[in-house]
Amino acid sequence: MNYDNFLTKPIMMMTGSEFLQLLKMASEGHNSDVKDFTEKRYVHGINGLANLLGCGRTKAQEIKNSGQIDQAIYQSGKTIVIDSEKALQLLKTNRI
């Protein structure tokens, strides 16, 4: 069975059975690609943040400037690296 389709397909586009198969693969740990996919992931720049959040660059910039995810951002000059897991967790807990 080809698991690459599961790892590249957005969850919102999966059928229920596809999602359940992905969860089963992750819990069993049979595929090393699934393990790599669930490891800590970083995104780079405003475009990376926009892709992570599924929004536009303007909204991503507003979220970054709001300070809600400052603990997840590592910035040196113009280079921005964001811990995606931490950023999503901060946004979830800082929800108004």
Side-chain angles (χ1 to χ4, degrees):
M1 181 179 260
N2 186 359
Y3 296 117
D4 293 340
N5 293 339
F6 289 113
L7 299 177
T8 57
K9 190 174 189 179
I11 291 176
M12 301 287 279
M13 302 295 287
M14 289 184 178
T15 64
S17 63
E18 288 175 329
F19 182 68
L20 290 175
Q21 286 177 325
L22 179 64
L23 289 176
K24 183 178 178 185
M25 288 176 358
S27 67
E28 292 175 350
H30 288 291
N31 192 325
S32 62
D33 291 337
V34 174
K35 291 178 185 175
D36 293 342
F37 184 71
T38 58
E39 288 180 8
K40 187 171 270 195
R41 192 177 103 183
Y42 296 95
V43 294
H44 302 271
I46 297 301
N47 286 336
L49 181 60
N51 288 336
L52 175 68
L53 301 176
C55 64
R57 286 178 44 96
T58 305
K59 186 63 177 177
Q61 186 68 51
E62 287 176 14
I63 292 170
K64 179 190 172 292
N65 291 345
S66 72
Q68 292 179 7
I69 60 170
D70 280 352
Q71 295 173 355
I73 297 175
Y74 309 99
Q75 185 166 356
S76 176
K78 291 185 178 182
T79 304
I80 301 169
V81 179
I82 302 164
D83 180 340
S84 59
E85 183 179 318
K86 192 170 186 178
L88 291 174
Q89 184 62 35
L90 287 168
L91 286 172
K92 186 177 178 180
T93 58
N94 293 334
R95 205 181 307 173
I96 297 174

